[in-house]
């Protein structure tokens, strides 16, 4: 149900059992761990055993679906109160990706409007999120591939972080465009300090047998200077504001700057679940800051002098003026002539 390649199923759901691929162990070990309830779901998200804006929302929703499925018959009122309390707890797992908050708001509405069993209504809604994400990603892949091809045939692209099947329910967003496009070559960044690129995107591209080269985050400007056939940088998103400002993995902003300087397209791939139409601009995004140890330790030991301090923001915000196009499942959106910002509330057709 989740995606075409079983090696790349980040999330496995067969009611009432949820298992996730422990991404802290990749690429050395392919280990699936069972998530039996919302406490385990919160832990898996906070520790980044599972990560990626869409995947975070889906694992949160399904972790509570697993819990609810095992609770047996209960009063609808009590079940609704339990579900809402646990959804509020899951909200505290990570602050930046809007997908989690969007999913929780939708699930609370399902509980409020349930006609029969609240538990059944909740579990069905959580299951539908898994299926919808794959559908959306396939559409993003189609729209995005066509857009990149319009920039010139047989061109190479560069991507950042991991936005593939390991960050979603399957196929992926920016890496979903790469999967659909199948460019002659893909460059991907390490994406320090968690190394989503080196460990996860590299793993996906090797499994899919797409020709690719890993580069350090710091090598991208030199690479664009050296290789004019890299036609676009394609990245994912954790939260896109109404004006197009985009919060994404740390390092994205400087990729957008160098893309602009080297006159290459800078493309954001974002399902509607990553677009926050209630946020007018990027200034309002809460950027998660993670532990210094994610930078100062590696392989279980300190790799810097004792006493080193580190700043470890997990995301940055790229201004809309640096973004050439925003690819969603509903189409590709560009800024109007002479405009430095988008108006996604009017540009993107709303769900009927
Ligand atoms: C389609 S994944 C979107 C987004 O999530 C990643 O962050 P993290 O690995 O910390 O969860 C990265 O920012 C991706 O671009």
């Amino acid at each position: 149900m989740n995606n075409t390649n079983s090696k790349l199923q980040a999330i496995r759901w067969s009611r009432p059992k949820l298992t996730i691929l422990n991404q802290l162990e990749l690429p050395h070990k392919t280990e699936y761990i069972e998530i039996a309830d919302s406490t385990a779901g919160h832990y898996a998200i906070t520790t980044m055993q599972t990560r990626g804006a869409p995947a975070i929302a889906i694992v949160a929703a399904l972790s509570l679906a697993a819990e609810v499925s095992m609770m047996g018959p209960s009063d609808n009122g009590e079940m609704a109160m339990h579900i809402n309390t646990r959804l509020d707890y899951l909200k505290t797992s990570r602050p930046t990706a809007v997908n989690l908050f969007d999913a929780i708001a939708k699930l609370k509405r399902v509980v409020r409007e349930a006609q029969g069993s609240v538990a059944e209504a909740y579990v069905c809604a959580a299951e539908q999120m898994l299926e919808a994400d794959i559908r959306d990603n396939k559409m993003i892949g189609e729209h995005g591939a066509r857009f990149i091809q319009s920039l010139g045939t047989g061109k190479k692209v560069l991507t950042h972080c991991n936005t593939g099947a390991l960050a979603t329910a399957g196929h992926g967003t920016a890496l979903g465009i790469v999967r659909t496009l199948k460019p002659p070559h893909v460059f991907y960044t390490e994406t320090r300090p968690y190394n989503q690129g080196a460990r996860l995107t590299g793993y996906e591209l090797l499994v899919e047998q797409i020709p690719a080269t890993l580069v350090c985050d710091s090598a991208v400007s030199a690479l664009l200077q050296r290789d004019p056939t890299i036609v676009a940088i394609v990245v994912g998103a954790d939260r896109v504001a109404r004006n197009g400002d985009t919060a994404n993995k740390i390092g994205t902003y400087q990729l957008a700057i160098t893309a602009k300087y080297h006159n290459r397209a800078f493309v954001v791939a974002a399902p509607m679940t990553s677009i926050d139409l209630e946020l007018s601009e990027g200034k309002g995004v809460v950027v998660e800051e993670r532990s210094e140890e994610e930078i100062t330790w590696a392989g279980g030991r300190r790799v810097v002098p004792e006493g080193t301090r580190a700043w470890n923001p997990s995301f940055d915000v790229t201004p809309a003026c640096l973004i050439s196009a925003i690819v969603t499942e509903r189409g590709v959106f560009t800024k109007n002539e002479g405009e430095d910002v988008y108006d996604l509330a009017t540009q993107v057709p709303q769900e009927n």
Side-chain angles (χ1 to χ4, degrees):
M1 175 165 78
N2 291 354
N3 78 344
T4 49
N5 189 320
S6 62
K7 276 192 183 170
L8 296 172
Q9 276 187 319
I11 304 166
R12 286 181 174 165
W13 169 258
S14 178
R15 194 189 295 199
K17 191 170 182 191
L18 171 65
T19 54
I20 61 167
L21 187 53
N22 179 357
Q23 299 190 29
L24 290 170
E25 294 298 332
L26 286 177
H28 309 299
K29 199 161 79 172
T30 301
E31 174 192 76
Y32 278 90
I33 48 182
E34 184 175 355
I35 304 295
D37 57 27
S38 51
T39 300
H42 188 283
Y43 179 82
I45 294 164
T46 305
T47 60
M48 293 179 72
Q49 289 173 326
T50 189
R51 31 65 49 198
I56 287 169
I58 293 163
V59 168
L62 288 176
S63 70
L64 184 52
E67 177 178 321
V68 162
S69 301
M70 296 309 285
M71 284 172 66
S74 60
D75 167 77
N76 268 348
E78 285 169 10
M79 179 56 78
M81 197 177 300
H82 176 79
I83 289 173
N84 286 326
T85 303
R86 299 310 291 168
L87 287 175
D88 286 339
Y89 172 62
L90 285 161
K91 259 185 181 176
T92 65
S93 53
R94 288 184 80 187
T96 303
V98 68
N99 310 59
L100 176 64
F101 302 87
D102 179 76
I104 287 173
K106 284 179 180 150
L107 291 164
K108 285 191 168 185
R109 190 165 56 246
V110 165
V111 167
R112 256 196 326 274
E113 297 170 358
Q115 296 302 311
S117 157
V118 163
E120 181 61 22
Y122 175 87
V123 174
C124 287
E127 290 174 337
Q128 284 157 17
M129 286 183 175
L130 185 75
E131 290 158 21
D133 187 53
I134 296 175
R135 230 181 12 252
D136 293 348
N137 288 343
K138 296 279 177 72
M139 290 307 294
I140 288 171
E142 295 297 327
H143 291 314
R146 264 197 302 277
F147 178 79
I148 301 286
Q149 279 164 340
S150 73
L151 301 173
T153 53
K155 299 285 187 180
K156 305 172 193 170
V157 298
L158 180 138
T159 193
H160 184 57
C161 196
N162 174 257
T163 58
L166 296 176
T168 64
H171 195 70
T173 58
L175 206 58
I177 292 174
V178 169
R179 254 194 187 91
T180 303
L181 177 68
K182 298 223 179 321
H185 207 93
V186 179
F187 293 91
Y188 60 105
T189 60
E190 273 184 312
T191 317
R192 291 274 300 138
Y194 184 92
N195 297 326
Q196 289 93 331
R199 296 187 303 113
L200 308 178
T201 295
Y203 182 82
E204 291 204 42
L205 291 169
L206 286 163
V207 167
E208 299 286 347
Q209 298 182 325
I210 296 176
T213 302
L214 172 64
V215 296
C216 293
D217 301 354
S218 51
V220 173
S221 293
L223 178 65
L224 293 184
Q225 185 186 47
R226 176 171 180 267
D227 187 343
T229 67
I230 300 172
V231 71
I233 293 180
V234 191
V235 298
D238 289 82
R239 192 183 291 248
V240 183
R242 203 165 57 232
N243 75 343
D245 292 348
T246 296
N248 194 53
K249 185 50 50 199
I250 188 72
T252 302
Y253 178 27
Q254 58 195 33
L255 291 179
I257 292 167
T258 194
K260 190 80 175 177
Y261 178 81
H262 291 93
N263 195 25
R264 312 296 164 85
F266 188 81
V267 179
V268 168
M272 288 309 292
T273 52
S274 297
I275 296 179
D276 183 357
L277 293 178
E278 287 171 26
L279 181 67
S280 58
E281 57 181 3
K283 285 197 190 85
V285 174
V286 174
V287 174
E288 176 187 13
E289 293 204 8
R290 295 184 67 87
S291 70
E292 297 181 59
E293 287 68 31
E294 286 187 355
I295 298 176
T296 58
W297 283 62
R301 68 195 186 103
R302 173 184 295 283
V303 291
V304 297
E306 187 78 35
T308 300
R309 300 306 310 270
W311 178 54
N312 184 19
S314 200
F315 303 97
D316 56 26
V317 179
T318 300
C321 61
L322 295 177
I323 298 172
S324 314
I326 297 176
V327 182
T328 75
E329 65 275 26
R330 298 181 190 170
V332 180
F333 301 93
T334 53
K335 295 184 287 285
N336 295 325
E337 193 66 35
E339 291 289 331
D340 262 350
V341 292
Y342 294 77
D343 180 359
L344 296 175
T346 56
Q347 286 180 271
V348 181
Q350 296 312 304
E351 211 163 35
N352 45 23

